[in-house]
Every structure is written in C-alpha cells, then in structure tokens.
C-alpha cells in the first residue's frame, strides 16, 4: 500500500507514535508476515483485523519484542527501535493486556499494579505509599476498589481493568488490548469502553484486537486489515462498510465450483425431513455462546459460517460433547441425550475433529496405525485391546481409502505433511463409524490436492447416510459442500439458510450485519418433537 492510499492522520497530529514498515517474518515452511506496514496515532483506538493465520499475533509480537523481524523497521516516536523482549518494550512505553489475565490472583490489587516497581523506604516496601499510589492509578481509570483486596476475589472483568491500570502506571504510550472482551458481559464491556475512551483522551494509542464487529465499529477510529500475512488495507472505521471489511478479511476470490455443488444439490433433494438425527433446542454456554436451535438430518452436511470468534466452533464443541452446555437440550433420533463429555458423545457415535489437529488431534510421536485406532480403542476400553490383525486391517483400509502418503502404517505421524496428518485424523474418526462427524476447519493449512480429496470424501460420506457438520473460514468451501448453512455472528445464530443457490455476497452480508429474513431464522420444516423435552 502506498502512502497516498492511506487515510489521513487525526486532526492536529503530525506523526504516528508507532510506525512499522516492510515487516517480514518467516518461520520454517511459512512466511508469517510479508512486507507489512502498520502505524498507530496518539489518541486513537486502532483495530487490527484478520482471520486466523492472517498475521495479527505475529505483528503484535514483532512490535513487543517477542519475535525478531527478518526485514523492515519499527519506529517509536520517530526513533528506530529493536526490542529484545516484552520488558524492553514495556520500558519504552508499549504495554500489553492479554485475553487471559496474566496477573497474580493470590496478591492484592496494589501488589499487582506495582509488581516489580514497589515504592521502598529504608530498604523495605512502603505499604502505605503502595496503597496511595494504587488508589491514584485506579482513580485515573475510574475504578473504585480496595487496593488491599485480593485480586482473585474480583470478577474477571475487574481483573482485566487492574491489568490496564498496571499498564497505565508504567506510563504507556501504546496500550495493546488482546481480545479484552471475550469473557465479559454487556455491562462489563460498556465499563471497559468507558475506560478506553478516557485513556484515549490522554493521548494513549490503543490497539484493540477483537473478533466482534459490533464492538470494533463502536470503539475503533481506524482499522488495519491483514490476510495471509499481507497488508490488505488501512481505513478510517466510519469509511469502511462492514461487508467490505468482511470481504477484505476473508478475500473476494471465489473459487470455481466443480461438480461437488451439483452433487450436494442432488443429494439434498433426497433428504427426508422426518429423518432427524440431531436436534438442539436452546443449547448454549453462558459467557461462551448464546442459546441456539439446530436440526441435522441423516445424510446431511450442515455448514457453519461466520468469522473467527463468531461462535461457530463453540457450538460445534457443545454438539460434540467437548464442552458442556448449561442450557437447552440435545436429542438424537428424537430422544434426549446428555452429552457431558467426548466419551459420552462417542458412545452416541458423534465424532469431533478439532481445528487444532496438533494440540487436540493427532499424537505426533505415534504411528499412523496407532493414531487411526486410538478412538476405537478408547471406546472399547483399554482392558479390551484391539487385536493386532484387526489394527493392521483398519490402518491399511483407511490408508488406502484416504490416500494417506506414505502408505506405511508404521510411519511416525509427525513426519507426515499437514494434509496427510489431517487424513490420519479423519481415519481415526471414521473407524468408529460415526452417525455425526463434526469437522472444524478440516482443510486449514493443507495443499490444494489434499483439500479437494477431503471435500470429495465429505460428500461421499453424506451420500452414504452420514451426517456432517462442516466448519470453514473459506465461505466458498462451506457453500460448495453444505445442504444447509447456519450463520453465526458475535456468539449468536443469526440465520439458517437452505443452500439452494446462496450467493457469496448474501452470505457475507449476513455475517457482516446479521440481517436475515424471517424464513432464514425459522426452524426447518418437518422437525419432530423431542421425547422428554419440556414443551
């Protein structure tokens, strides 16, 4: 982006407090940032926007000294800087408040605010001065709490405000707020925004990172959009329509649809409305995702669409028993089912493949064979080991069916490509013969060939009667594979659409604005009552 394409500086401001130019950072096998430029002005709230993998976290870590940069420059107040850690960045006036509060709950509020900078008298900590100074800092952000109270006795919202108070106390010129509202209710968000606005008036530059579009448009003055490690654009918030922001975040490129979508539409014609496999009514988890109603038929692919943080994964985890719902009811084939753990879900033949295949999926030090039979063995119980001959048969069959390469059941999974690791994970869940397969970002980070194979597999599974929940940040992929699309936004379901020619632009509009027709919000026709549910 050239200089004349950037929006102007705020009135009365001559130069940015932070200016990053041509930032490039590469890790083995991936370029995380590619010639990215970014700037922040004093007295502004700036939002850094982008989907998972866009480079937001990497850019923040480059600014705060966590990652060294391969090329480019960082200017702070016009002076070139190169931090060798967060402590140096903080000493220079750049403070970060993380999504997870990183203070000490077993210490007092005052001790947390002044940790490492305690006032001393005659070689000992001056408790009176600590209390007085903490009260001043708390008062500066309008927070009225006892400095001597234990931090852990306060709500998460108050703890985050104490984190901000600590950042303000170090004379921050730049304050980075990383997903600060992810666990806050509406009143707590309003209080946080009040404090952000008061800090902004003092001239602090605030970087607000959030996936909630409503909040971004309420609080941010300026936006910078990243996609796939590259700069897409910098905009004044009031100049950029929400739908245009979403298009920039996910890309406007629409892949050519092959015969997969026609196969989906042909299969959709054969879906029997009476064949309801799963029906969720008012299912939610407080502070995580609002109550949703979802119906899934046998042999149906239901796509979940929405931006990162919209609640799509959170709903899937409730349906898969990974997280426990605290409201609503889930029924399988018309009977209420308590899904309180992944094991209970598996006993009902519901399999969940996480988006984080490394942390929650494959066991990378085990072989392909061991990874494939893992879930089936867990379902049988460890005191009933699967015979070696059966394990070999399972491994060979899924290696062949999924085209896993190398075709060696004794290969260690960590040595496989990302696409083949994903196929091994799919083989594991297919081995338990699920009725419902929940796939969260199954094609992320894999090559085009492996992606196409997995997409074709999903359609084949549905054609053979398996139900699939399919989540992907690539909306054209969701449209290509799904019979129906559930649209999530800001942790709520905003629409549910039959995929009978949904346009990408219409889907983008729903994601950006949450505006759906009454028909799109209603329950599917033919849904049957749940036995044992309250009517």
């Amino acid at each position: 982006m050239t200089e004349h394409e950037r929006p102007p500086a705020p009135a009365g401001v001559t130069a940015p407090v932070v200016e990053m130019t041509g930032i490039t950072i590469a890790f083995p096998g991936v370029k995380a940032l590619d010639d990215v430029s970014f700037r922040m002005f004093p007295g502004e709230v700036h939002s850094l926007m982008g989907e998972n993998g866009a480079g937001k976290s990497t850019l923040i870590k480059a600014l705060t000294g966590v990652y060294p940069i391969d090329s480019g420059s960082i200017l702070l107040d016009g002076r070139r800087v190169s931090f060798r850690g967060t402590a140096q960045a903080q000493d220079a006036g750049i403070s970060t408040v993380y999504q997870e509060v990183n203070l000490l709950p077993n210490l007092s509020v005052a001790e947390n605010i002044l940790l490492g900078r305690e006032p001393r008298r005659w070689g000992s900590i001056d408790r009176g001065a600590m209390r007085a100074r903490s009260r001043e800092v708390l008062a500066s952000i309008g927070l009225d709490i006892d400095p001597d109270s234990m931090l852990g006795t306060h709500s998460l919202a108050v703890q985050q405000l104490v984190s901000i108070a600590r950042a303000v106390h170090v004379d921050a010129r730049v304050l980075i707020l990383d997903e600060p509202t992810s666990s806050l209710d509406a009143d707590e968000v309003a209080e946080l925004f009040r404090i952000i606005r008061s800090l902004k008036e003092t001239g602090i530059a605030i970087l607000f990172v959030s996936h909630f579009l409503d909040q971004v448009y309420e609080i941010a003055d300026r936006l910078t959009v990243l996609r796939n490690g590259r700069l897409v654009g910098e905009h004044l918030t009031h100049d950029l329509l929400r739908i245009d922001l979403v298009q920039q975040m996910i890309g406007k490129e629409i892949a050519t649809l092959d015969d997969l979508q026609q196969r989906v539409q042909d299969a959709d014609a054969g879906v029997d409305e009476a064949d309801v496999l799963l029906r969720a009514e008012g299912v939610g988890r407080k502070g995580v995702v609002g109550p949703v109603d979802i119906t899934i038929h046998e042999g149906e692919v239901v796509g979940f669409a929405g931006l990162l943080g919209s609640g799509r994964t959170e709903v899937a985890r409730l349906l898969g028993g990974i997280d426990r719902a605290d409201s609503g009811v889930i029924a399988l084939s018309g009977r209420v089912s308590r899904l309180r753990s992944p094991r209970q879900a598996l006993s009902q033949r519901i399999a969940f493949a996480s988006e984080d295949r490394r942390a929650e999926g494959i066991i990378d030090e085990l072989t392909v064979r061991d990874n494939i039979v893992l879930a089936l063995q867990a379902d049988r119980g460890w005191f009933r080991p699967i015979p070696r001959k059966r394990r070999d048969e399972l491994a060979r069959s899924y290696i062949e069916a999924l085209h896993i390469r190398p075709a060696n059941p004794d290969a260690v999974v960590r040595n496989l490509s990302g696409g083949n690791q994903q196929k091994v994970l799919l083989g594991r869940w297919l081995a338990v013969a699920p009725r419902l397969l929940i796939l969260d970002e199954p094609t992320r980070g894999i090559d085009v060939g492996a992606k196409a194979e997995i997409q074709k597999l999903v359609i084949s599974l549905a054609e053979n009667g398996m139900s699939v929940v399919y989540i992907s940040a690539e909306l054209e992929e969701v449209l290509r594979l799904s019979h129906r699309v559930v649209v999530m936004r800001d942790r709520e379901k905003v629409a549910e659409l039959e995929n009978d020619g949904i346009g990408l632009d219409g889907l983008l509009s729903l994601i950006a604005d949450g505006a759906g027709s009454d028909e799109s919000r209603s329950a599917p026709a033919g849904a049957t009552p749940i036995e044992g549910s309250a009517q």
Side-chain angles (χ1 to χ4, degrees):
M1 171 177 286
T2 60
E3 187 65 31
H4 73 274
E5 293 175 310
R6 287 178 162 183
V13 176
T14 58
V17 62
V18 167
E19 186 162 21
M20 307 174 75
T21 305
I23 303 298
T24 298
I25 295 178
F27 301 114
V30 62
K31 186 172 282 189
L33 293 175
D34 185 6
D35 192 30
V36 171
S37 294
F38 173 73
R39 58 184 185 166
M40 294 179 65
F41 291 97
E44 268 196 346
V45 178
H46 196 131
S47 278
L48 190 57
M49 305 297 294
E51 282 285 81
N52 216 350
K56 305 188 302 295
S57 295
T58 305
L59 186 66
I60 291 172
K61 289 176 179 178
L63 175 60
T64 56
V66 176
Y67 291 155
I69 61 176
D70 296 326
S71 62
S73 64
I74 302 175
L75 301 181
L76 182 63
D77 288 327
R79 178 174 54 87
R80 186 161 185 160
V81 294
S82 178
F83 303 126
R84 291 191 296 275
T86 55
Q88 282 192 353
Q90 183 172 284
D91 290 342
I94 301 176
S95 290
T96 305
V97 176
Y98 296 98
Q99 176 180 353
E100 301 295 333
V101 176
N102 60 343
L103 298 182
L104 302 174
N106 58 325
L107 297 183
S108 70
V109 169
E111 287 170 325
N112 273 282
I113 291 174
L114 298 173
L115 189 64
R117 301 182 301 276
E118 299 89 348
R120 294 182 177 272
R121 185 180 184 186
W122 297 319
S124 299
I125 294 175
D126 188 339
R127 298 287 175 180
M130 177 182 287
R131 284 191 292 272
R133 192 171 301 176
S134 297
R135 283 196 182 94
E136 292 175 3
V137 176
L138 293 169
S140 72
I141 64 170
L143 190 57
D144 183 18
I145 59 174
D146 182 4
D148 288 329
S149 61
M150 298 296 288
L151 182 68
T153 64
H154 295 286
S155 68
L156 181 60
V158 170
Q159 292 183 42
Q160 285 189 317
L161 296 180
V162 172
S163 295
I164 293 174
R166 174 177 167 80
V168 171
H169 178 257
V170 299
D171 297 325
R173 301 288 317 285
V174 177
L175 178 62
I176 300 171
L177 302 177
D178 184 11
E179 293 287 353
T181 64
S182 60
S183 301
L184 307 185
D185 62 26
D187 291 338
E188 292 166 339
V189 170
E191 176 65 9
L192 174 64
F193 281 7
R194 181 192 64 77
I195 290 173
I196 288 176
R197 292 186 179 101
S198 68
L199 293 175
K200 172 180 148 181
E201 291 175 358
T202 68
I204 294 177
I206 300 169
L207 180 56
F208 180 78
V209 181
S210 175
H211 293 109
F212 299 123
L213 294 187
D214 286 347
Q215 295 177 6
V216 168
Y217 272 84
E218 179 180 350
I219 198 67
D221 302 294
R222 192 178 299 260
L223 304 168
T224 290
V225 185
L226 302 181
R227 187 173 74 246
N228 297 329
R230 296 187 63 86
L231 174 67
V232 177
E234 177 191 307
H235 309 272
L236 296 177
T237 306
H238 59 71
D239 288 342
L240 185 65
L241 295 175
R242 296 188 188 198
I243 189 169
D244 293 332
L245 171 61
V246 172
Q247 287 176 331
Q248 288 193 15
M249 289 169 63
I250 68 173
K252 296 182 180 180
E253 302 83 2
I254 303 178
T256 302
L257 303 184
D258 53 22
D259 65 343
L260 285 178
Q261 191 155 30
Q262 185 59 52
R263 286 171 65 182
V264 168
Q265 293 171 355
D266 292 343
D268 195 25
V271 172
D272 188 341
E273 291 293 344
D275 293 335
V276 175
L277 172 66
L278 180 146
R279 188 177 176 200
E281 293 183 345
V283 171
R285 185 176 172 91
K286 186 176 181 180
V288 176
V289 65
V292 298
D293 296 341
I294 292 175
T295 301
I296 302 172
H297 298 88
E298 294 177 2
E300 184 179 36
V301 181
V302 178
F304 283 12
L307 297 176
L308 186 68
S310 63
R312 61 195 190 197
T313 292
E314 289 76 7
V315 172
R317 290 175 67 90
L318 296 180
L319 299 181
I322 310 302
D323 297 328
R324 186 180 299 186
D326 54 22
S327 66
V329 62
I330 295 175
L332 291 166
S333 300
R335 300 192 66 84
V336 172
S337 181
R338 307 294 181 189
L339 302 179
R340 300 183 181 276
S341 70
R343 187 179 183 87
Q344 286 185 340
L346 192 58
S347 71
Q348 298 290 331
R349 293 296 177 262
I350 298 175
F352 176 87
S354 170
E355 63 178 327
D356 190 349
R357 63 174 175 264
R358 289 194 175 275
E360 299 180 347
I362 62 167
I363 311 298
D364 62 3
E365 67 267 22
L366 296 183
T367 65
V368 170
R369 179 194 300 105
D370 291 339
N371 269 277
I372 287 176
V373 303
L374 189 62
L376 187 59
Q377 182 63 76
D379 189 42
R380 283 169 56 97
W382 299 107
F383 294 105
R384 296 176 57 215
I386 301 172
R388 175 60 185 250
K389 182 179 180 181
R390 177 60 177 154
R391 287 188 286 139
D392 288 342
E393 290 173 352
L394 285 167
R396 282 196 300 269
S397 65
Y398 286 107
I399 286 172
E400 181 179 347
L402 300 174
H403 306 291
I404 297 171
R405 297 294 179 268
N408 177 11
D410 293 312
V412 178
V413 167
R414 66 167 171 265
N415 296 327
L416 273 59
S417 68
N420 282 293
Q421 289 178 356
Q422 188 65 56
K423 291 178 186 179
V424 170
L425 188 57
L426 283 172
R428 176 194 298 169
W429 296 120
L430 293 177
V432 301
R435 293 190 291 169
L436 173 61
L437 179 61
I438 302 172
L439 299 175
D440 193 358
E441 295 286 5
T443 63
R444 175 186 294 161
I446 64 177
D447 62 71
V448 174
K451 181 179 294 189
E453 288 183 355
I454 289 173
Q455 291 176 4
K456 290 176 182 177
L457 173 65
V458 169
I459 298 302
S460 296
L461 293 173
E463 288 173 341
N464 285 281
M466 188 181 296
S467 303
V468 180
V469 168
Y470 196 91
I471 303 173
S472 175
E474 298 183 32
L475 296 184
E476 57 269 22
E477 188 174 19
V478 173
L479 290 176
R480 185 181 302 130
L481 301 180
S482 304
H483 302 106
R484 257 182 316 120
V485 179
V486 171
V487 184
M488 300 294 298
R489 179 172 178 268
D490 290 349
R491 302 178 184 176
E492 294 183 355
K493 174 184 168 183
V494 296
E496 182 176 324
L497 309 166
E498 294 293 335
N499 190 2
D500 53 358
I502 305 173
L504 183 60
D505 289 344
L507 190 55
L508 285 169
S509 179
L510 284 168
I511 291 172
D513 299 320
S517 65
D518 290 340
E519 291 81 0
S520 74
R521 297 171 187 269
S522 61
T528 55
I530 297 174
E531 294 181 19
S533 65
Q535 298 295 322

